[in-house]
Amino acid sequence: MQRNGGGVGGGGQTWVLRRVRLTWLSFMLFFILVFFPLIAHYYLTTIDEAGGPDKRIFGPRPGGELCEAKHVQDLCRIRESVSEELLQLEAKRQELNGEIARLNLRIEACKRSIDSAKQDLLQLKNVISQTEHSYKELMAQNQPKLSLPVRLLPDKDDPGLPPPKSSRSCRLRSCFDYARCPLTSGFPVYVYDTGSYPWGNYLDPLVKQAFAASVKSNIYVTDNPSIACLYLVLVGEILESSPPPPPSELEKQLKALPYWRSDGHNHVLVHFSQKSMTQNFLYNVSTGRAAVAQSTFLERQYREGFDLVVSPLVHALSEPNFLEVPPQVPVKRKYLFTFQGERVESLRSSLQEAPPQSFEEELEGDPPADYDDRIIGTLKAVQDSHLDQVLVEFTCKNPKPSLPTEWALCGEREDRLKMLKESTFALVISPGDGQLVASAGCGMRLFEALEVGAIPVVLGDHSRLPYHQFIRWTEAAIIVPKPRVTELHFLMRSLSDNDVLAMRRQGRFLWETYFSTSENVLNTILASIRTSIQVPATPIRDEPAQEIPHKAGKLAGTDANLADNGDLDLGPVETEPPYASPRFLRNFTYTAADTYRAWNRAPGPFHLFPHTPLDPVLPSEAKFLGSGTGFRPIGGGSGGSGKEFQAALGGNVPREQFTVVMLTYEREEVLMNSLERLNGLPYLNKVVVVWNSPKPPSEDLLWPDIGLPIVVVRTEKNSLNNRFLPWDVVETEAILSIDDDAHLRHDEIMFGFRVWREARDRIVGFPGRYHAWDVNHQSWLYNSNYSCELSMVLTGAAFFHKYYAYLYSYVMPQAIRDMVDEYINCEDIAMNFLVSHITRKPPIKVTSRWTFRCPGCPQALSHDDSHFHERHKCINFFVKVYGYMPLLYTQFRVDSVLFKTRLPHDKTKCFKFI
């Protein structure tokens, strides 16, 4: 028990002892941590004060004495730098605060100026509105209101004009009802069905079929007879096995026509002739006020200025084969002139002694002086002299039936054409009886001579050649009276080669335009009547564009290589909105004033259609104000130099734009890059992308936004001819045809546009090519080597007039377009052939560039080896179609002496041409 109790007491003492020790230890630590630092601080301070200010160790030191210590020098430098920066920032802050205050004042001033400008603009708008209103009032007061003439449509039984004294004295002024054909009528023509009148069953089926096909394709034909201006009746040619009805019966049948109206005014009786011996069964028929269009006329039958002498219908349903037509060169052929024919003797002995009734009997009246014997003797003397190689034959083994006193054709047509192909001149001797003013036999000889390029020499100035009222035959044929037969040889030898070639070209033009097919013959008949009554032609249609919708992406950037023009101002200071070329529809003035020039231009820009041979009446492109080339002249202007010259186009048409037509085929990336390069191009109206691929563009394709319309046109087929279609979306005269991989700078394009405005009838472009004669193979070659001489400009980068798009698509022979489709090549060569053929001028090359392909673009078709072989074939084929080589060489190139030269705006800068 004590052991236990003692144990407990010993443990308690130990615990008390430990507590006392901890308390003592805590007190000692507190004393050391608190009082010892205070005592040390006091002691040290007492030592510093006792040592004086210069011997202080721990106290603060004056000035930069502290920085003398090496360990704080870097910190001192940092402090001084930060202090300087803070001072600078403070100064800048104060400066910016002042600038902000000044800008606020300027903003307030600008706001007040904007408000004032808005008020001025509103006042100006009011003034302009008042001025326009006053102008309209003045115009209304000083100018009468003009409206289209009211068209009077007579009733079915309306007799119309009073009856003439004699049907033989009919003229347009006395026998034609102009009231049915106002100037704005459009010249509607109603054609009687050949099955609607009795003698229609006796017509030659081939003639009926050709006539029906021509009528179907004619733009003037209407099915509504109540609005018709003209009525056509096909009366011949009658089958040889079917004799024509008697004159009295024929008159009754004519009067029975539903729209004859008792006298047949505004009717035309058309008689097509396929043979040299044609039946002139209308001779003793009273046709009233109806005009007659046929190939054979007697003098007392023909009504000058009313009836119409037409060409024979040789190619009824067949198209002429251009490959069989001989070339126009060489100028001189084997024979100087040829003639084959046999004179038809009088038929008086074979006719009854009754009074003259028929056409043949009428010719047996008192014949005039006959020079046929003198002609035979003179021509034989020329042949026997052997001065020139000639061929004359006055007897035939197989003469064709012909009219009395006429020279019968010899042999078959193929034999005659073979002889004429070797003849420079072809004699056409008019009938011996002067009363026969026109005959189908002479018309057949004239047709065959023009077809193969033999210049017709007509002996007998009393003859009426086809459409003589409109065609100046002296430009394509030699017409001399029979008494001058002794001087005929001298006359033919005196013509120079240039004159002979010009007459041959004119004859080829007349044959192709007016005589070659049944469609051309019918169109020429209608054009002759329409021109006589001064009704304008129907405008040529534009090609409707089927637009492909597309999405515009981001705003297109500008290539620095294309748009960095320095001080050279390529266009106006302010971007002009799209501006279409003015519309000059000179239908009436051209029809009335320029008849002969239109019919006889060989061939020229005034000739568009065989069915509209008088009028270049284009919806927005026939703006021919000049009288020389037929195109609006550009030149001169209001002067100006330096900045004034750069900032305006000048010329007689200072405001004008052009349209880019770009052909593409499944090269979307290349196309997008090309479109972006057009951004910022001055005077650009719009871009027409001809999408030549059957596949539409990708749906996710984003088209660049160049600030102008981009029209994507869908085509019916993949054809390079689509490049030259006259799209209706093209509203400018100037077209820049460009490939999708062409790479041209803006200044180059603008320079080419300026040059084109000075030569609007030419192709103006950049890459030049030329043709050459291969002596070894006796053929033409296409050459793309670098040369100082050229004859073509590639249309992959060229300006041309939209007028040529109509000619290329609608007038140029179809065989050329077919070959372009066959080879998928040569469309640029075809356009150069066409323009040179029309203008007889070479193209114009600008700048010294020979290629224009963009770097890095995919390889084009022109790099294929077969490309050049195909172009060789194209040139030779085109020469056969045209009959000669129309391309002309030139060493003329247009460059600016100061091209791309930087001059200040106040200095003179003008384009000079070399």
Side-chain angles (χ1 to χ4, degrees):
M1 294 293 294
Q2 289 180 352
R3 201 180 303 178
N4 294 340
V8 173
Q13 292 177 359
T14 302
W15 178 83
V16 173
L17 180 60
R18 289 179 179 173
R19 184 172 183 181
V20 172
R21 287 178 180 174
L22 290 174
T23 302
W24 175 251
L25 181 61
S26 299
F27 175 77
M28 290 300 294
L29 288 175
F30 178 78
F31 178 81
I32 293 171
L33 294 176
V34 176
F35 291 98
F36 181 78
L38 293 177
I39 295 171
H41 181 268
Y42 173 78
Y43 175 76
L44 293 175
T45 303
T46 304
I47 292 175
D48 284 342
E49 290 178 355
D54 296 334
K55 296 182 179 181
R56 290 181 180 179
I57 300 175
F58 299 101
R61 301 187 180 186
E65 187 175 352
L66 182 63
C67 295
E68 293 180 359
K70 293 182 179 181
H71 61 280
V72 293
Q73 288 181 357
D74 293 339
L75 296 177
C76 291
R77 285 194 297 269
I78 292 173
R79 185 190 66 178
E80 293 174 356
S81 176
V82 171
S83 300
E84 292 178 0
E85 290 181 1
L86 290 176
L87 293 175
Q88 292 176 1
L89 290 175
E90 179 64 21
K92 191 172 183 179
R93 185 184 66 83
Q94 295 178 359
E95 182 181 355
L96 291 176
N97 288 335
E99 183 68 20
I100 291 173
R102 289 192 295 270
L103 290 176
N104 289 331
L105 295 177
R106 291 184 61 183
I107 290 173
E108 295 297 329
C110 290
K111 289 181 179 179
R112 291 192 296 269
S113 299
I114 291 173
D115 295 336
S116 177
K118 288 182 179 180
Q119 295 295 330
D120 295 341
L121 179 61
L122 183 60
Q123 294 178 1
L124 289 175
K125 288 182 178 180
N126 294 333
V127 171
I128 292 174
S129 178
Q130 294 175 2
T131 304
E132 290 179 350
H133 182 71
S134 302
Y135 174 76
K136 292 179 180 179
E137 290 182 350
L138 291 175
M139 294 293 291
Q141 294 175 2
N142 298 327
Q143 290 185 356
K145 292 183 179 181
L146 298 178
S147 59
L148 297 178
V150 178
R151 188 172 184 184
L152 303 177
L153 298 178
D155 297 333
K156 179 179 179 180
D157 299 329
D158 186 2
L161 299 173
K165 296 180 180 180
S166 173
S167 59
R168 302 288 185 183
S169 61
C170 258
R171 299 294 183 270
L172 285 175
R173 62 180 180 274
S174 59
C175 293
F176 193 86
D177 188 3
Y178 282 86
R180 296 194 63 85
C181 304
L183 298 177
T184 58
S185 64
F187 194 63
V189 178
Y190 178 78
V191 181
Y192 284 94
D193 185 9
T194 55
S196 63
Y197 42 87
W199 78 89
N201 298 325
Y202 303 102
L203 296 176
D204 189 328
L206 187 61
V207 173
K208 290 172 59 176
Q209 188 177 358
F211 182 75
S214 302
V215 167
K216 186 178 181 180
S217 61
N218 194 278
I219 63 174
Y220 294 107
V221 174
T222 178
D223 296 332
N224 187 359
S226 61
I227 65 171
C229 164
L230 198 69
Y231 299 85
L232 288 186
V233 184
L234 181 64
V235 298
E237 186 169 47
I238 300 293
L239 289 172
E240 294 181 359
S241 59
S242 303
S248 58
E249 180 64 25
L250 189 56
E251 290 181 13
K252 292 181 181 180
Q253 295 182 13
L254 288 175
K255 292 181 180 179
L257 293 175
Y259 308 102
W260 188 262
R261 297 187 180 91
S262 73
D263 58 2
H265 60 273
N266 292 38
H267 278 63
V268 179
L269 307 180
V270 180
H271 187 180
F272 286 146
S273 300
Q274 283 191 298
K275 301 180 293 293
S276 58
M277 178 62 180
T278 184
Q279 299 172 338
N280 186 15
F281 58 87
L282 294 177
Y283 172 65
N284 285 326
V285 177
S286 177
T287 57
R289 285 196 174 96
V292 178
Q294 61 183 16
S295 302
T296 303
F297 279 102
L298 195 65
E299 184 176 10
R300 57 178 300 190
Q301 175 193 11
Y302 180 67
R303 296 168 289 185
E304 185 71 39
F306 190 73
D307 292 329
L308 195 62
V309 179
V310 301
S311 60
L313 187 63
V314 178
H315 299 288
L317 292 176
S318 61
E319 293 287 339
N321 188 355
F322 290 100
L323 298 181
E324 295 180 357
V325 177
Q328 300 184 28
V329 290
V331 177
K332 294 181 179 179
R333 299 176 177 175
K334 178 180 179 180
Y335 298 107
L336 177 64
F337 65 87
T338 58
F339 178 80
Q340 287 181 323
E342 184 172 332
R343 183 172 55 178
V344 179
E345 300 295 339
S346 172
L347 298 180
R348 180 181 296 276
S349 59
S350 63
L351 297 174
Q352 300 178 358
E353 297 181 358
Q357 291 292 333
S358 67
F359 176 66
E360 290 78 6
E361 292 174 334
E362 186 67 27
L363 293 179
E364 299 305 317
D366 297 329
D370 193 355
Y371 294 95
D372 288 353
D373 294 336
R374 186 185 305 179
I375 291 173
I376 294 175
T378 302
L379 295 181
K380 284 185 176 180
V382 173
Q383 184 178 23
D384 296 338
S385 66
H386 301 290
L387 295 176
D388 291 291
Q389 191 170 1
V390 299
L391 176 62
V392 290
E393 296 179 355
F394 299 103
T395 58
C396 297
K397 295 181 180 180
N398 184 23
K400 298 296 181 181
S402 300
L403 295 174
T405 73
E406 192 178 21
W407 290 88
L409 295 171
C410 294
E412 300 298 330
R413 168 177 159 83
E414 291 75 13
D415 299 331
R416 296 194 300 270
L417 292 180
K418 182 179 180 180
M419 180 193 65
L420 291 174
K421 290 178 181 179
E422 299 178 342
S423 306
T424 305
F425 299 92
L427 295 186
V428 180
I429 304 177
S430 59
D433 196 329
Q435 298 182 49
L436 190 59
V437 296
S439 66
C442 287
M444 196 71 69
R445 290 183 181 273
L446 183 68
F447 180 95
E448 293 176 353
L450 295 177
E451 182 178 5
V452 297
I455 298 175
V457 179
V458 181
L459 278 174
D461 55 353
H462 66 282
S463 297
R464 300 291 192 274
L465 299 182
Y467 320 112
H468 62 91
Q469 304 99 319
F470 309 100
I471 295 178
R472 190 178 290 111
W473 279 104
T474 54
E475 296 182 358
I478 300 175
I479 304 175
V480 295
K482 288 185 177 181
R484 290 196 179 275
V485 65
T486 56
E487 303 173 290
L488 189 60
H489 185 211
F490 166 78
L491 180 60
M492 287 186 287
R493 293 191 65 182
S494 64
L495 293 179
S496 65
D497 290 351
N498 290 335
D499 293 337
V500 173
L501 183 59
M503 297 180 71
R504 187 172 293 165
R505 289 184 62 249
Q506 179 71 3
R508 173 72 176 270
F509 162 72
L510 296 178
W511 176 76
E512 289 182 354
T513 308
Y514 303 124
F515 309 142
S516 58
T517 63
S518 60
E519 181 180 357
N520 289 355
V521 174
L522 178 62
N523 291 335
T524 306
I525 292 174
L526 297 181
S528 302
I529 300 173
R530 179 182 53 77
T531 305
S532 299
I533 62 177
Q534 299 180 334
V535 174
T538 299
I540 296 179
R541 66 179 181 89
D542 277 316
E543 189 71 21
Q546 299 180 5
E547 298 186 23
I548 300 177
H550 57 279
K551 297 182 296 183
K554 63 179 181 179
L555 184 64
T558 302
D559 192 339
N561 296 326
L562 301 177
D564 184 14
N565 301 294
D567 295 332
L568 183 60
D569 293 332
L570 299 181
V573 178
E574 298 180 0
T575 303
E576 294 186 7
Y579 169 73
S581 297
R583 299 167 62 91
F584 295 96
L585 300 183
R586 296 187 58 212
N587 299 23
F588 176 72
T589 55
Y590 186 76
T591 303
D594 300 330
T595 299
Y596 265 108
R597 182 173 59 175
W599 277 77
N600 299 279
R601 196 169 182 89
F606 291 101
H607 254 292
L608 294 183
F609 269 21
H611 68 270
T612 56
L614 303 182
D615 318 89
V617 186
L618 313 184
S620 63
E621 290 67 36
K623 312 159 191 73
F624 311 110
L625 305 183
S627 59
T629 62
F631 292 84
R632 187 164 53 187
I634 300 296
S638 58
S641 61
K643 183 178 181 180
E644 292 81 6
F645 177 77
Q646 298 171 14
L649 283 175
N652 295 322
V653 185
R655 188 183 185 193
E656 187 173 19
Q657 294 180 341
F658 62 91
T659 302
V660 168
V661 177
M662 186 178 296
L663 187 72
T664 186
Y665 184 87
E666 296 184 358
R667 294 198 297 183
E668 295 181 352
E669 183 179 356
V670 175
L671 174 64
M672 297 302 108
N673 294 334
S674 297
L675 292 176
E676 287 187 3
R677 288 194 293 268
L678 298 177
N679 184 35
L681 180 60
Y683 302 109
L684 178 60
N685 181 272
K686 67 177 63 170
V687 179
V688 177
V689 177
V690 181
W691 192 265
N692 228 22
S693 172
K695 299 179 182 179
S698 304
E699 296 182 358
D700 56 348
L701 181 63
L702 294 180
W703 296 70
D705 182 6
I706 62 174
L708 292 169
I710 297 179
V711 181
V712 185
V713 179
R714 187 194 310 273
T715 57
E716 295 181 357
K717 64 177 182 178
N718 178 21
S719 172
L720 294 179
N721 293 316
N722 296 331
R723 178 197 299 272
F724 300 125
L725 283 173
W727 301 106
D728 55 1
V729 293
V730 178
E731 300 176 326
T732 60
E733 296 181 19
I735 293 178
L736 173 58
S737 175
I738 190 169
D739 289 340
D740 57 1
D741 58 353
H743 195 274
L744 294 174
R745 298 193 306 267
H746 289 184
D747 55 322
E748 291 176 321
I749 296 176
M750 288 310 305
F751 182 70
F753 184 45
R754 289 178 181 270
V755 175
W756 177 85
R757 284 166 51 84
E758 303 288 344
R760 307 172 73 85
D761 60 335
R762 316 270 283 273
I763 299 178
V764 177
F766 300 88
R769 301 292 186 266
Y770 66 96
H771 66 289
W773 179 253
D774 186 357
V775 179
N776 297 327
H777 298 86
Q778 293 295 298
S779 62
W780 294 101
L781 296 178
Y782 171 84
N783 202 315
S784 62
N785 295 331
Y786 292 91
S787 172
C788 294
E789 192 169 52
L790 59 98
S791 59
M792 293 175 283
V793 167
L794 301 186
T795 56
F799 285 93
F800 64 90
H801 200 285
K802 186 182 178 182
Y803 176 72
Y804 293 122
Y806 292 90
L807 296 183
Y808 185 97
S809 302
Y810 302 143
V811 179
M812 188 179 68
Q814 181 63 36
I816 296 179
R817 293 190 292 271
D818 292 340
M819 190 167 194
V820 171
D821 289 336
E822 178 182 355
Y823 285 156
I824 316 178
N825 199 345
C826 307
E827 85 287 355
D828 47 358
I829 300 178
M831 177 59 81
N832 278 271
F833 265 70
L834 174 67
V835 177
S836 297
H837 173 63
I838 290 174
T839 62
R840 303 305 302 135
K841 298 177 182 178
I844 297 178
K845 173 176 170 53
V846 293
T847 75
S848 59
R849 295 188 60 176
W850 206 258
T851 59
F852 54 89
R853 300 297 178 187
C854 62
C857 289
Q859 196 174 39
L861 294 176
S862 58
H863 293 276
D864 191 358
D865 294 337
S866 62
H867 175 78
F868 289 94
H869 297 289
E870 294 173 351
R871 294 175 83 82
H872 299 330
K873 295 179 181 179
C874 288
I875 287 184
N876 288 279
F877 179 79
F878 296 164
V879 169
K880 291 181 180 180
V881 173
Y882 282 99
Y884 75 111
M885 169 54 75
L887 298 179
L888 300 174
Y889 293 107
T890 181
Q891 296 180 1
F892 179 78
R893 193 184 80 202
V894 183
D895 284 328
S896 172
V897 175
L898 300 177
F899 188 51
K900 293 292 292 178
T901 302
R902 311 303 184 199
L903 290 180
H905 286 178
D906 57 346
K907 301 297 184 181
T908 301
K909 180 188 290 186
C910 296
F911 288 126
K912 298 181 181 180
F913 306 111
I914 60 173

